[in-house]
Amino acid sequence: MAESSSQTEGRRRGNMEEPELFSHDSSSLLSKDLLLCSICVDVLTDPVTTPCGHNLCKSCLTQCWDKNQHCHCPLCNQIFTKRAKLKINTTLREVADYFKKKIGSDKPEVLCDACSGEKLKAQKSCLDCGLSFCKIHLEPHYHVPKLKKHKLINHVENLEDYICQKHERVQDQLTKIKEIKRSVEQSKRSTEKEKADIVEVFTALIRSIERSQAEMPEMMEEKQKAAERKAERLIKELEQEISVLKRRDTELEQLSHTEEHLHLLQIYSSMCSPPHTKNWTEISINTDVNVDTVTTALSQLQQTLNEKLTKSLNDKLKETDSTDLKRIQQYAVDVTLDPDTAHPELILSADGKQVTHGDKRQNLPDTPQRFDECICVLGNQSFSSGRFYYEVQVGGETGWSLGVVRENINRKGEITLNPQDEFWAVIMMNENQYDACEDPCVTLTLREKVEVVGVFVDYEEGLVSFYDVKSRSHIYSFTGQTFTENLYPFFSPCFNEGGKNAAPLIISPVFNTE
C-alpha cells in the first residue's frame, strides 16, 4: 500500500525532531503531574505501585511505612493489613527517567556533599541535614533510626530554598514548649503529693478523734461499773461494822442486868475500848460521769493531735520552701557594690563584694548618686525585667538591712525604708530582731539566727522575696508590687557600734545544693 504524502512528511519530520509527548502543561499528552511522587513532590525515582494503584518513589514509600504503625497509602489513606512487597515498575521508571532527562538536560549537576575526594552525583537531598547525598552516603538514612525520620527529596541544587527559613526557630519553640509542659507536670506531681500528705495528716487527726469519741462511752461505762463495784464493797464493810456494833450493844444491854461483878471486871477493859471503824465521812462514791474531766481529756487529746499536725505541716512547708529555693537559685546573678553610691563612712573591698562601717568619715565627693546620711550602698547592676537572685552573708552582724530599691530614690537626708518610698527591704536589729520594712513594720519570727540571706526578685510579677539559705526556709515576701524603673540591690551593714558590729556584709557565690 502506497504511503500518503502526509504520512511521508510526518515520518520525515519525526527523523528531525522528537514528538512533544511531555510537557509541564497538564493539558498535554503526558504532563509532569502524572509522574510526581506525592511524598517528595518530585518526579518518580524507582517507582512502585501500591495495592490500591497509586505510584510513589520506592524509597519515599519505604520510609513512610517504616515511620508509621500501619502500612497505608499516602494518597488515599487506605490501610493494608499486610505489608506489600514492593517491586519497581520498570516501564514507569523508564518514562520517568526519560522525563527527568528531558527537563533536566539544561540543569547543573548536583554533587554529593559528603564525598571527600572525587564527588559523586547526588541521588537525594535531606531537608533535615541540609545536604545532598550520593547513593553510598545516603544508605544511613535508610537504616539508622534517627536518620530514617529525616525528610528526603530528589536532589536539588538550591536546597536552602526548600527548607523553611523559620525551621530552626520553630524547633527551638517546640523544645521550649516541651520543657514548659515537663515543668508543669513536675509541679503538678509535687502539688498533688503535698495535697496527699496534708490530707493524710488531717485524715489521721479525724480518725483519732472519731476513735476517741467511740471509746468515750466504753470509758464512761467502765468508770460507772468501777464506781458500782466500789460501792458494793463499801456497803459490805458498813454492814459488817453495823453487825459488830449491834452485837456489842446487845452484850452491853445484857451486862446492865447482871450482878456477876467478877465477870464485869473481866470484860471491862474490852468493853471500854471502842471497836475499829473507818472514818466514813471522808469516803464518797462518784457514780456520775464528770463531764468537765472528759472534756478536758478530749481537749488535751485534740491539742496533742494539733501539735502533731502543726509539726507535720511545718515540716511540709519547710520542704516546700527548700524546693522553691532550689528553683529560684537558677536565676543567680553576679552583683558587685557601687563605690559612687556608698555613704562616706562605708569601706568597700577591692573586689566590690564586701562592705563594713568604718570609724571615720572619708573625704569623698558629694555626688547626687551618693547617700549622705543613710549608711548604705547600692549594687552596680540594675534590672528592668525578668528574674534575678543573689545571696549575702550576714552571720557576724548584729544589725543589717538588705533588699532592692528604685533607681531614682532620694539619697539625701533621712530615708524611710518602705515600699511607699520605693524600698523593699528586710532589717535585723539587736542581734536577733527581724522586721519586714512595710508601713507599719511587720515583726518576723524566725526559728534561728540567719547567716546567709537570699534575695529574689520577679520584676513582672512584682515580687521581692527573702530566704534563709542555711535552713532553706522562706523569710518574707513583698507581693503585688508595681515596678516601672530600674531596680538596684541595696545593702546596709548598719553602724559599727564600737566594734560590736564590725563584721562585713559579703556578697557570696550561689551554690545550689540540689
mmCIF file with all atom_site columns, all heavy atoms in Angstrom, residues 168-181:
data_model
loop_
_atom_site.group_PDB
_atom_site.id
_atom_site.type_symbol
_atom_site.label_atom_id
_atom_site.label_alt_id
_atom_site.label_comp_id
_atom_site.label_asym_id
_atom_site.label_entity_id
_atom_site.label_seq_id
_atom_site.pdbx_PDB_ins_code
_atom_site.Cartn_x
_atom_site.Cartn_y
_atom_site.Cartn_z
_atom_site.occupancy
_atom_site.B_iso_or_equiv
_atom_site.pdbx_formal_charge
_atom_site.auth_seq_id
_atom_site.auth_comp_id
_atom_site.auth_asym_id
_atom_site.auth_atom_id
_atom_site.pdbx_PDB_model_num
ATOM 1   N N   . GLU A 1 168 ? 14.513 26.268 62.191 1.00 0.00 ? 168 GLU A N   1
ATOM 2   C CA  . GLU A 1 168 ? 15.322 26.157 63.407 1.00 0.00 ? 168 GLU A CA  1
ATOM 3   C C   . GLU A 1 168 ? 14.631 26.839 64.586 1.00 0.00 ? 168 GLU A C   1
ATOM 4   O O   . GLU A 1 168 ? 14.586 26.325 65.686 1.00 0.00 ? 168 GLU A O   1
ATOM 5   C CB  . GLU A 1 168 ? 16.699 26.778 63.164 1.00 0.00 ? 168 GLU A CB  1
ATOM 6   C CG  . GLU A 1 168 ? 17.636 26.643 64.353 1.00 0.00 ? 168 GLU A CG  1
ATOM 7   C CD  . GLU A 1 168 ? 19.020 27.155 64.051 1.00 0.00 ? 168 GLU A CD  1
ATOM 8   O OE1 . GLU A 1 168 ? 19.295 27.479 62.883 1.00 0.00 ? 168 GLU A OE1 1
ATOM 9   O OE2 . GLU A 1 168 ? 19.827 27.242 64.984 1.00 0.00 ? 168 GLU A OE2 1
ATOM 10  N N   . ARG A 1 169 ? 14.073 28.048 64.321 1.00 0.00 ? 169 ARG A N   1
ATOM 11  C CA  . ARG A 1 169 ? 13.397 28.762 65.396 1.00 0.00 ? 169 ARG A CA  1
ATOM 12  C C   . ARG A 1 169 ? 12.164 27.995 65.876 1.00 0.00 ? 169 ARG A C   1
ATOM 13  O O   . ARG A 1 169 ? 11.891 27.910 67.063 1.00 0.00 ? 169 ARG A O   1
ATOM 14  C CB  . ARG A 1 169 ? 12.982 30.148 64.904 1.00 0.00 ? 169 ARG A CB  1
ATOM 15  C CG  . ARG A 1 169 ? 12.464 31.055 66.014 1.00 0.00 ? 169 ARG A CG  1
ATOM 16  C CD  . ARG A 1 169 ? 11.782 32.289 65.485 1.00 0.00 ? 169 ARG A CD  1
ATOM 17  N NE  . ARG A 1 169 ? 12.539 32.948 64.445 1.00 0.00 ? 169 ARG A NE  1
ATOM 18  C CZ  . ARG A 1 169 ? 12.027 33.904 63.678 1.00 0.00 ? 169 ARG A CZ  1
ATOM 19  N NH1 . ARG A 1 169 ? 10.790 34.298 63.842 1.00 0.00 ? 169 ARG A NH1 1
ATOM 20  N NH2 . ARG A 1 169 ? 12.769 34.455 62.728 1.00 0.00 ? 169 ARG A NH2 1
ATOM 21  N N   . VAL A 1 170 ? 11.409 27.419 64.934 1.00 0.00 ? 170 VAL A N   1
ATOM 22  C CA  . VAL A 1 170 ? 10.245 26.609 65.294 1.00 0.00 ? 170 VAL A CA  1
ATOM 23  C C   . VAL A 1 170 ? 10.654 25.446 66.169 1.00 0.00 ? 170 VAL A C   1
ATOM 24  O O   . VAL A 1 170 ? 9.985  25.106 67.160 1.00 0.00 ? 170 VAL A O   1
ATOM 25  C CB  . VAL A 1 170 ? 9.517  26.114 64.033 1.00 0.00 ? 170 VAL A CB  1
ATOM 26  C CG1 . VAL A 1 170 ? 8.439  25.072 64.412 1.00 0.00 ? 170 VAL A CG1 1
ATOM 27  C CG2 . VAL A 1 170 ? 8.900  27.269 63.284 1.00 0.00 ? 170 VAL A CG2 1
ATOM 28  N N   . GLN A 1 171 ? 11.776 24.792 65.825 1.00 0.00 ? 171 GLN A N   1
ATOM 29  C CA  . GLN A 1 171 ? 12.247 23.671 66.635 1.00 0.00 ? 171 GLN A CA  1
ATOM 30  C C   . GLN A 1 171 ? 12.574 24.131 68.047 1.00 0.00 ? 171 GLN A C   1
ATOM 31  O O   . GLN A 1 171 ? 12.286 23.434 69.016 1.00 0.00 ? 171 GLN A O   1
ATOM 32  C CB  . GLN A 1 171 ? 13.487 23.036 65.982 1.00 0.00 ? 171 GLN A CB  1
ATOM 33  C CG  . GLN A 1 171 ? 13.185 22.331 64.668 1.00 0.00 ? 171 GLN A CG  1
ATOM 34  C CD  . GLN A 1 171 ? 12.191 21.192 64.841 1.00 0.00 ? 171 GLN A CD  1
ATOM 35  O OE1 . GLN A 1 171 ? 12.235 20.477 65.831 1.00 0.00 ? 171 GLN A OE1 1
ATOM 36  N NE2 . GLN A 1 171 ? 11.282 21.044 63.899 1.00 0.00 ? 171 GLN A NE2 1
ATOM 37  N N   . ASP A 1 172 ? 13.213 25.299 68.164 1.00 0.00 ? 172 ASP A N   1
ATOM 38  C CA  . ASP A 1 172 ? 13.525 25.830 69.496 1.00 0.00 ? 172 ASP A CA  1
ATOM 39  C C   . ASP A 1 172 ? 12.249 26.076 70.297 1.00 0.00 ? 172 ASP A C   1
ATOM 40  O O   . ASP A 1 172 ? 12.180 25.796 71.497 1.00 0.00 ? 172 ASP A O   1
ATOM 41  C CB  . ASP A 1 172 ? 14.324 27.138 69.379 1.00 0.00 ? 172 ASP A CB  1
ATOM 42  C CG  . ASP A 1 172 ? 15.713 26.897 68.832 1.00 0.00 ? 172 ASP A CG  1
ATOM 43  O OD1 . ASP A 1 172 ? 16.173 25.734 68.895 1.00 0.00 ? 172 ASP A OD1 1
ATOM 44  O OD2 . ASP A 1 172 ? 16.323 27.858 68.354 1.00 0.00 ? 172 ASP A OD2 1
ATOM 45  N N   . GLN A 1 173 ? 11.241 26.621 69.620 1.00 0.00 ? 173 GLN A N   1
ATOM 46  C CA  . GLN A 1 173 ? 9.986  26.897 70.318 1.00 0.00 ? 173 GLN A CA  1
ATOM 47  C C   . GLN A 1 173 ? 9.296  25.610 70.744 1.00 0.00 ? 173 GLN A C   1
ATOM 48  O O   . GLN A 1 173 ? 8.746  25.522 71.846 1.00 0.00 ? 173 GLN A O   1
ATOM 49  C CB  . GLN A 1 173 ? 9.058  27.715 69.410 1.00 0.00 ? 173 GLN A CB  1
ATOM 50  C CG  . GLN A 1 173 ? 9.560  29.150 69.167 1.00 0.00 ? 173 GLN A CG  1
ATOM 51  C CD  . GLN A 1 173 ? 8.731  29.880 68.130 1.00 0.00 ? 173 GLN A CD  1
ATOM 52  O OE1 . GLN A 1 173 ? 8.029  29.258 67.358 1.00 0.00 ? 173 GLN A OE1 1
ATOM 53  N NE2 . GLN A 1 173 ? 8.827  31.195 68.112 1.00 0.00 ? 173 GLN A NE2 1
ATOM 54  N N   . LEU A 1 174 ? 9.343  24.595 69.881 1.00 0.00 ? 174 LEU A N   1
ATOM 55  C CA  . LEU A 1 174 ? 8.757  23.308 70.244 1.00 0.00 ? 174 LEU A CA  1
ATOM 56  C C   . LEU A 1 174 ? 9.478  22.689 71.429 1.00 0.00 ? 174 LEU A C   1
ATOM 57  O O   . LEU A 1 174 ? 8.847  22.128 72.332 1.00 0.00 ? 174 LEU A O   1
ATOM 58  C CB  . LEU A 1 174 ? 8.810  22.355 69.042 1.00 0.00 ? 174 LEU A CB  1
ATOM 59  C CG  . LEU A 1 174 ? 7.901  22.721 67.857 1.00 0.00 ? 174 LEU A CG  1
ATOM 60  C CD1 . LEU A 1 174 ? 8.148  21.781 66.698 1.00 0.00 ? 174 LEU A CD1 1
ATOM 61  C CD2 . LEU A 1 174 ? 6.437  22.675 68.267 1.00 0.00 ? 174 LEU A CD2 1
ATOM 62  N N   . THR A 1 175 ? 10.811 22.801 71.432 1.00 0.00 ? 175 THR A N   1
ATOM 63  C CA  . THR A 1 175 ? 11.587 22.282 72.560 1.00 0.00 ? 175 THR A CA  1
ATOM 64  C C   . THR A 1 175 ? 11.226 23.020 73.843 1.00 0.00 ? 175 THR A C   1
ATOM 65  O O   . THR A 1 175 ? 11.077 22.417 74.911 1.00 0.00 ? 175 THR A O   1
ATOM 66  C CB  . THR A 1 175 ? 13.097 22.434 72.283 1.00 0.00 ? 175 THR A CB  1
ATOM 67  O OG1 . THR A 1 175 ? 13.428 21.735 71.085 1.00 0.00 ? 175 THR A OG1 1
ATOM 68  C CG2 . THR A 1 175 ? 13.919 21.862 73.440 1.00 0.00 ? 175 THR A CG2 1
ATOM 69  N N   . LYS A 1 176 ? 11.064 24.363 73.744 1.00 0.00 ? 176 LYS A N   1
ATOM 70  C CA  . LYS A 1 176 ? 10.696 25.159 74.918 1.00 0.00 ? 176 LYS A CA  1
ATOM 71  C C   . LYS A 1 176 ? 9.321  24.763 75.434 1.00 0.00 ? 176 LYS A C   1
ATOM 72  O O   . LYS A 1 176 ? 9.100  24.661 76.647 1.00 0.00 ? 176 LYS A O   1
ATOM 73  C CB  . LYS A 1 176 ? 10.704 26.657 74.557 1.00 0.00 ? 176 LYS A CB  1
ATOM 74  C CG  . LYS A 1 176 ? 10.614 27.568 75.777 1.00 0.00 ? 176 LYS A CG  1
ATOM 75  C CD  . LYS A 1 176 ? 11.822 27.412 76.657 1.00 0.00 ? 176 LYS A CD  1
ATOM 76  C CE  . LYS A 1 176 ? 11.763 28.371 77.832 1.00 0.00 ? 176 LYS A CE  1
ATOM 77  N NZ  . LYS A 1 176 ? 12.915 28.213 78.729 1.00 0.00 ? 176 LYS A NZ  1
ATOM 78  N N   . ILE A 1 177 ? 8.396  24.504 74.501 1.00 0.00 ? 177 ILE A N   1
ATOM 79  C CA  . ILE A 1 177 ? 7.059  24.078 74.905 1.00 0.00 ? 177 ILE A CA  1
ATOM 80  C C   . ILE A 1 177 ? 7.126  22.765 75.660 1.00 0.00 ? 177 ILE A C   1
ATOM 81  O O   . ILE A 1 177 ? 6.465  22.572 76.687 1.00 0.00 ? 177 ILE A O   1
ATOM 82  C CB  . ILE A 1 177 ? 6.139  23.946 73.671 1.00 0.00 ? 177 ILE A CB  1
ATOM 83  C CG1 . ILE A 1 177 ? 5.832  25.350 73.098 1.00 0.00 ? 177 ILE A CG1 1
ATOM 84  C CG2 . ILE A 1 177 ? 4.841  23.224 74.019 1.00 0.00 ? 177 ILE A CG2 1
ATOM 85  C CD1 . ILE A 1 177 ? 5.077  25.317 71.796 1.00 0.00 ? 177 ILE A CD1 1
ATOM 86  N N   . LYS A 1 178 ? 7.955  21.833 75.162 1.00 0.00 ? 178 LYS A N   1
ATOM 87  C CA  . LYS A 1 178 ? 8.111  20.552 75.858 1.00 0.00 ? 178 LYS A CA  1
ATOM 88  C C   . LYS A 1 178 ? 8.672  20.757 77.251 1.00 0.00 ? 178 LYS A C   1
ATOM 89  O O   . LYS A 1 178 ? 8.243  20.122 78.208 1.00 0.00 ? 178 LYS A O   1
ATOM 90  C CB  . LYS A 1 178 ? 9.023  19.633 75.048 1.00 0.00 ? 178 LYS A CB  1
ATOM 91  C CG  . LYS A 1 178 ? 8.400  19.147 73.734 1.00 0.00 ? 178 LYS A CG  1
ATOM 92  C CD  . LYS A 1 178 ? 9.366  18.240 72.985 1.00 0.00 ? 178 LYS A CD  1
ATOM 93  C CE  . LYS A 1 178 ? 8.755  17.752 71.681 1.00 0.00 ? 178 LYS A CE  1
ATOM 94  N NZ  . LYS A 1 178 ? 9.699  16.898 70.922 1.00 0.00 ? 178 LYS A NZ  1
ATOM 95  N N   . GLU A 1 179 ? 9.681  21.663 77.361 1.00 0.00 ? 179 GLU A N   1
ATOM 96  C CA  . GLU A 1 179 ? 10.267 21.930 78.674 1.00 0.00 ? 179 GLU A CA  1
ATOM 97  C C   . GLU A 1 179 ? 9.230  22.518 79.629 1.00 0.00 ? 179 GLU A C   1
ATOM 98  O O   . GLU A 1 179 ? 9.161  22.148 80.808 1.00 0.00 ? 179 GLU A O   1
ATOM 99  C CB  . GLU A 1 179 ? 11.451 22.894 78.534 1.00 0.00 ? 179 GLU A CB  1
ATOM 100 C CG  . GLU A 1 179 ? 12.652 22.293 77.817 1.00 0.00 ? 179 GLU A CG  1
ATOM 101 C CD  . GLU A 1 179 ? 13.767 23.306 77.646 1.00 0.00 ? 179 GLU A CD  1
ATOM 102 O OE1 . GLU A 1 179 ? 13.563 24.481 78.027 1.00 0.00 ? 179 GLU A OE1 1
ATOM 103 O OE2 . GLU A 1 179 ? 14.834 22.927 77.129 1.00 0.00 ? 179 GLU A OE2 1
ATOM 104 N N   . ILE A 1 180 ? 8.415  23.458 79.129 1.00 0.00 ? 180 ILE A N   1
ATOM 105 C CA  . ILE A 1 180 ? 7.385  24.081 79.972 1.00 0.00 ? 180 ILE A CA  1
ATOM 106 C C   . ILE A 1 180 ? 6.371  23.035 80.417 1.00 0.00 ? 180 ILE A C   1
ATOM 107 O O   . ILE A 1 180 ? 5.976  22.981 81.583 1.00 0.00 ? 180 ILE A O   1
ATOM 108 C CB  . ILE A 1 180 ? 6.686  25.235 79.215 1.00 0.00 ? 180 ILE A CB  1
ATOM 109 C CG1 . ILE A 1 180 ? 7.691  26.390 78.961 1.00 0.00 ? 180 ILE A CG1 1
ATOM 110 C CG2 . ILE A 1 180 ? 5.482  25.736 79.991 1.00 0.00 ? 180 ILE A CG2 1
ATOM 111 C CD1 . ILE A 1 180 ? 7.147  27.483 78.080 1.00 0.00 ? 180 ILE A CD1 1
ATOM 112 N N   . LYS A 1 181 ? 5.937  22.190 79.466 1.00 0.00 ? 181 LYS A N   1
ATOM 113 C CA  . LYS A 1 181 ? 4.977  21.150 79.822 1.00 0.00 ? 181 LYS A CA  1
ATOM 114 C C   . LYS A 1 181 ? 5.562  20.198 80.858 1.00 0.00 ? 181 LYS A C   1
ATOM 115 O O   . LYS A 1 181 ? 4.879  19.774 81.788 1.00 0.00 ? 181 LYS A O   1
ATOM 116 C CB  . LYS A 1 181 ? 4.561  20.374 78.567 1.00 0.00 ? 181 LYS A CB  1
ATOM 117 C CG  . LYS A 1 181 ? 3.658  21.154 77.616 1.00 0.00 ? 181 LYS A CG  1
ATOM 118 C CD  . LYS A 1 181 ? 3.249  20.308 76.432 1.00 0.00 ? 181 LYS A CD  1
ATOM 119 C CE  . LYS A 1 181 ? 2.292  21.091 75.521 1.00 0.00 ? 181 LYS A CE  1
ATOM 120 N NZ  . LYS A 1 181 ? 1.881  20.290 74.352 1.00 0.00 ? 181 LYS A NZ  1
#
